[in-house]
């Protein structure tokens, strides 16, 4: 997984490099900077930092990791952010520069992994939602062109949250669309049982839903009473009706040929490759946007009989940025569909409808609603 978000103390992360929110001058600042100096060894790290001198805002420099080597850390990358005023003084551009320069330096140091905190969201006063948005955008953009694992480290729950409006919008969508299965069975009358068994379409079950800002959707269960409390007597179908003539019997060879033809023309791999070609994208762009390993993606593409798990198909659909109808058709090509009783599925559907395709941003929404994320925690 090349990009994930983790709640942790950055000095406890195992990675080739960690990023520190540094002071422009070689002095120990507050917050993350103090924690990094304490963990690495104040005297040694400060002496190495003094050799670098001033670091301009938006730029980065590196020092050895010193005592943090016990965690497998080889380098500390120091980057300098900016205080947030009103967003009209180049703050966003400088913060973007912090991420891009720090990540570029990690690649130049031949690091295979780097942990980076949510920059400027503490003492520098960036609104946390904006800070998270910029982090996701810059890291995602960088990973499209570079092979490195990035862990965005957030210290508290508050930093890893979506806006209240988006939260409410998702909850309303769930409330309107969620079908809860529950443990109370539907009780069908004799006519309904008969119609279900012999092919007629059953009546729609009535549902009522209530909206609540923080509550799951609910519904009332419809109970059907038998007509006049009598069971219908059904005539046993005559076996002769189902006897086919020799001309009507499909030969086994014909069935095999049909299956073979269908597998060669209508499979998930063909659909995936056609969608990538239609969008004039490279395979690498799609599997990186889906946060899928190159070798795993190669297995998906090359094995026509292999169908990946539903979460993988959903991630690829997000990477392809498909509109809702195309997304549903893409799921169907792998034998899947949105399940109306699944909160996870409905949140993905909400994201597709609202064109929220960045998988890390989707993970933030999933996490905020208590659902499993695409990336491991």
């Amino acid at each position: 997984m090349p990009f994930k978000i983790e709640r942790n103390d950055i000095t406890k992360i195992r990675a080739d490099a960690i990023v520190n929110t540094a002071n422009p001058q070689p002095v120990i600042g507050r917050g993350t900077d103090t924690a990094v100096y304490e963990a690495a060894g104040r005297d040694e790290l400060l002496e190495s930092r003094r050799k670098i001198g001033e670091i301009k805002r938006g730029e980065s420099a590196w020092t050895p990791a010193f005592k943090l080597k016990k965690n497998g850390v080889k380098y500390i990358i120091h980057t300098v952010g900016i205080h947030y005023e009103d967003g009209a003084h180049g703050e966003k551009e400088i913060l973007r520069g912090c991420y891009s320069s720090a990540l570029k330096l990690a690649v130049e140091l031949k690091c295979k992994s780097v942990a980076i905190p949510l920059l400027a969201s503490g003492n520098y006063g960036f609104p946390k939602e904006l800070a998270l948005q910029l982090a996701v955008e810059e890291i995602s953009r960088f990973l499209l062109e570079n092979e490195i694992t990035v862990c965005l480290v957030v210290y508290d729950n508050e930093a890893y949250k979506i806006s209240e409006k988006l939260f409410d919008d998702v909850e309303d969508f769930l409330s309107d669309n969620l079908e809860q299965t529950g443990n109370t069975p539907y009780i069908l009358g004799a006519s309904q049982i008969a119609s279900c068994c012999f092919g007629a379409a059953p009546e729609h079950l009535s549902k009522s839903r209530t909206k609540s800002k923080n509550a799951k959707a609910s519904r009332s269960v419809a109970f059907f009473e038998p007509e006049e409390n009598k069971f219908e007597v059904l005539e046993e179908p005559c076996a002769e009706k189902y006897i086919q003539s020799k001309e009507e019997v499909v030969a086994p060879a014909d069935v095999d040929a049909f299956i073979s033809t269908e597998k060669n023309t209508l499979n998930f791999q063909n659909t995936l490759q056609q969608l990538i070609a239609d969008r004039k994208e490279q395979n690498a762009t799609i599997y990186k946007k889906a946060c899928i390993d190159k070798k795993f993606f190669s297995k998906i593409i090359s094995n026509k009989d292999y169908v990946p798990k539903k979460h993988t198909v959903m991630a690829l659909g997000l990477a392809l940025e498909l509109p809702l109808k195309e997304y549903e058709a893409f799921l169907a090509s792998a034998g899947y569909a949105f399940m109306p009783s699944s909160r996870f599925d409905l949140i993905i559907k909400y994201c597709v409808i609202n064109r929220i395709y960045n998988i890390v941003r989707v993970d933030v929404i999933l996490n905020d609603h208590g659902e499993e994320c695409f990336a491991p925690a």
Side-chain angles (χ1 to χ4, degrees):
M1 180 59 65
F3 187 9
K4 66 177 182 178
I5 299 179
E6 182 174 337
R7 292 190 191 89
N8 209 333
D9 179 341
I10 197 163
T11 64
K12 294 179 172 58
I13 296 289
R14 300 187 69 87
D16 289 343
I18 65 168
V19 177
N20 177 37
T21 55
N23 193 289
Q25 302 300 324
V27 296
I28 302 175
R30 294 179 294 172
T32 300
D33 198 27
T34 297
V36 170
Y37 273 90
E38 291 291 343
R42 295 174 68 95
D43 295 338
E44 290 177 302
L45 183 54
L46 187 56
E47 181 181 352
S48 184
R49 175 68 181 84
R50 283 171 179 157
K51 293 177 182 178
I52 296 172
E54 181 182 359
I55 302 175
K56 293 182 179 179
R57 297 190 184 279
E59 297 184 1
S60 303
W62 68 273
T63 64
F66 299 108
K67 291 181 181 179
L68 282 171
K69 287 182 180 179
K70 65 183 179 182
N71 292 348
V73 180
K74 301 174 184 177
Y75 309 101
I76 299 172
I77 297 173
H78 306 265
T79 192
V80 179
I82 186 172
H83 287 277
Y84 185 84
E85 294 183 36
D86 54 9
H89 294 80
E91 299 100 315
K92 290 186 286 186
E93 289 72 18
I94 290 174
L95 187 55
R96 288 183 186 276
C98 290
Y99 283 106
S100 61
S101 64
L103 293 170
K104 182 180 178 181
L105 190 51
V107 170
E108 290 174 357
L109 291 168
K110 302 188 184 308
C111 296
K112 294 182 179 180
S113 59
V114 58
I116 186 167
L118 187 61
L119 300 173
S121 61
N123 295 325
Y124 280 157
F126 256 78
K128 290 186 176 178
E129 186 182 358
L130 176 59
L132 182 60
Q133 175 190 332
L134 294 175
V136 168
E137 289 176 359
E138 286 305 308
I139 296 172
S140 299
R141 183 180 296 115
F142 187 83
L143 287 176
L144 290 178
E145 300 177 357
N146 297 274
E147 295 287 344
I148 187 172
T149 298
V150 180
C151 178
L152 180 64
V153 182
V154 294
Y155 190 74
D156 57 11
N157 292 343
E158 188 62 30
Y160 190 22
K161 285 185 70 68
I162 58 178
S163 70
E164 185 176 354
K165 181 182 184 304
L166 179 55
F167 181 92
D168 290 347
D169 287 348
V170 174
E171 280 296 320
D172 286 345
F173 183 82
L174 290 172
S175 181
D176 286 340
N177 294 277
L178 187 66
E179 291 186 6
Q180 294 179 333
T181 55
N183 295 319
T184 305
Y186 286 100
I187 300 177
L188 302 180
S191 60
Q192 282 75 32
I193 295 173
S195 63
C196 288
C197 292
F198 288 88
E203 298 179 31
H204 289 292
L205 304 181
S206 63
K207 292 170 283 187
S208 65
R209 300 178 178 87
T210 58
K211 290 186 180 181
S212 175
K213 178 176 180 180
N214 293 310
K216 295 182 179 179
S218 62
R219 73 175 185 180
S220 59
V221 181
F223 293 90
F224 294 90
E225 296 294 334
E227 296 176 6
E228 300 180 359
N229 295 319
K230 294 180 181 180
F231 287 98
E232 295 181 13
V233 179
L234 300 172
E235 180 182 353
E236 183 176 351
C238 178
E240 293 180 357
K241 295 180 182 179
Y242 300 98
I243 297 177
Q244 293 178 307
S245 66
K246 291 183 179 180
E247 290 76 19
E248 292 175 313
V249 175
V250 180
D254 294 337
V255 174
D256 292 340
F258 176 79
I259 293 173
S260 177
T261 301
E262 289 297 296
K263 287 176 72 175
N264 288 332
T265 57
L266 299 174
N267 59 42
F268 173 72
Q269 285 72 20
N270 289 346
T271 302
L272 175 59
Q273 290 176 317
Q274 186 61 56
L275 287 168
I276 294 173
D278 289 345
R279 281 151 180 76
K280 298 180 179 180
E281 294 281 8
Q282 299 294 320
N283 284 352
T285 301
I286 299 303
Y287 69 69
K288 287 180 179 179
K289 288 173 68 176
C291 289
I292 292 175
D293 178 77
K294 180 179 180 179
K295 290 182 179 179
F296 182 41
F297 183 82
S298 178
K299 176 183 177 181
I300 294 171
I301 289 293
S302 60
N303 188 348
K304 67 179 182 180
D305 294 322
Y306 177 71
V307 178
K309 292 182 179 180
K310 186 174 180 179
H311 277 205
T312 300
V313 177
M314 285 183 152
L316 288 167
L318 292 171
L320 289 163
E321 300 187 6
L322 301 173
L324 181 60
K325 287 186 178 180
E326 291 184 39
Y327 192 97
E328 290 176 327
F330 181 63
L331 288 179
S333 72
Y336 300 121
F338 285 122
M339 300 300 293
S341 60
S342 168
R343 285 173 60 86
F344 181 95
D345 283 20
L346 287 176
I347 290 173
I348 302 305
K349 186 174 183 179
Y350 173 90
C351 291
V352 172
I353 291 171
N354 290 278
R355 305 186 67 81
I356 302 172
Y357 294 119
N358 186 294
I359 200 164
V360 179
R361 191 180 176 203
V362 173
D363 268 357
V364 173
I365 296 172
L366 287 166
N367 177 82
D368 225 30
H369 290 270
E371 296 299 313
E372 179 186 356
C373 298
F374 285 104

